[in-house]
């Protein structure tokens, strides 16, 4: 399966993909809350002992990167599609 077909396949099932992503995030948080799975004995800070901290941190960081990239692109990098046609 080529990359283009894979992207089209995922785009056509976007709602399912989003739900599956949140499901995986929830599963990671549940697994992180089980002390036998993740050893938090050597946590460096107090927030690292919070169940799912790194999962939530990574998710929020990704969302923040997406929004900052869109803002930065619209602030001056993006231009008209026909700019070089003139």
């Amino acid at each position: 399966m080529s990359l283009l077909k894979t992207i089209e396949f995922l785009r056509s099932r976007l709602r399912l993909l989003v739900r599956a992503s949140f499901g995986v995030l929830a599963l990671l948080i549940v697994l992180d809350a089980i002390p036998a799975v993740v050893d938090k004995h050597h946590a460096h800070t107090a927030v690292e002992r919070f169940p799912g901290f790194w999962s939530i941190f990574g998710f929020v960081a990704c969302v923040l990167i997406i929004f900052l990239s869109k803002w930065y692109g619209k602030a001056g990098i993006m231009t008209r599609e026909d700019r070089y046609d003139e």
Side-chain angles (χ1 to χ4, degrees):
M1 183 181 269
S2 70
L3 181 61
L4 183 60
K5 287 182 180 179
T6 303
I7 291 172
E8 288 176 0
F9 176 79
L10 292 174
R11 284 186 127 187
S12 67
R13 292 160 178 84
L14 187 61
R15 177 172 268 180
L16 176 66
L17 184 67
V18 169
R19 288 182 181 172
S21 298
F22 279 115
V24 169
L25 180 64
L27 179 65
L28 288 174
I29 291 172
V30 169
L31 286 176
D32 195 35
I34 301 170
V37 177
V38 178
D39 182 22
K40 296 183 180 191
H41 192 76
H42 300 288
H44 296 285
T45 60
V47 292
E48 291 180 34
R49 291 186 174 90
F50 180 74
F53 170 75
W54 289 111
S55 300
I56 295 169
F57 179 83
F59 178 75
V60 170
C62 287
V63 170
L64 189 65
I65 287 170
I66 290 169
F67 281 111
L68 283 175
S69 299
K70 284 188 169 188
W71 170 79
Y72 189 65
K74 290 179 182 177
I77 292 179
M78 292 174 62
T79 184
R80 303 180 324 265
E81 289 185 17
D82 62 344
R83 177 183 173 149
Y84 297 107
D85 293 340
E86 296 174 357

